Amino acid sequence: MQLGNAINWFEIPVADFDRAKKFYETIFGYQMPDIMMGTARMGFLLYDQPGGKVGGAIVHDPEFHKPSQEGTLVYLNCQPDLQVQLGKVADAGGKVLREKTEVAPGQNLGYWALILDSEGNRVALHSMQ
């Protein structure tokens, strides 16, 4: 068996696509490309697809996806320092649930924070600084 990334793709459910797209564009500081895939409207978080990196999207498809605080927890890459994105969460319509915290003191695993996005999803942020 060949091991690679633990995650191949992720989707964050959204109830209001335009509001969610604005939220993520605001905290990350870039425009998200979006398309329709069947009945789902998807907005892509930018990543290095040609380089074989893992990506994901926000998705509006009420028959298939529903935002939740209790579901899967996705850790979004906020290198080099998640404090930049964390500082934009409230103004973008989200809520900080846990401030920047060291993952495991003394083990060099970086830092994480927990937010509620504009749609009510619990999402983690991660960086090494």
Side-chain angles (χ1 to χ4, degrees), residues 5-6 17 29 40 44 48 58 60-61 78 84-86 108 124:
N5 294 313
F17 185 86
F44 299 98
D48 180 11
I58 61 171
H60 181 261
D61 189 351
C78 296
V84 173
Q85 287 80 19
L86 193 62
N108 196 31

Side-chain angles (χ1 to χ4, degrees), residues 78-89:
C78 296
Q79 303 298 347
D81 185 349
L82 68 84
Q83 193 61 49
V84 173
Q85 287 80 19
L86 193 62
K88 299 176 183 178
V89 167

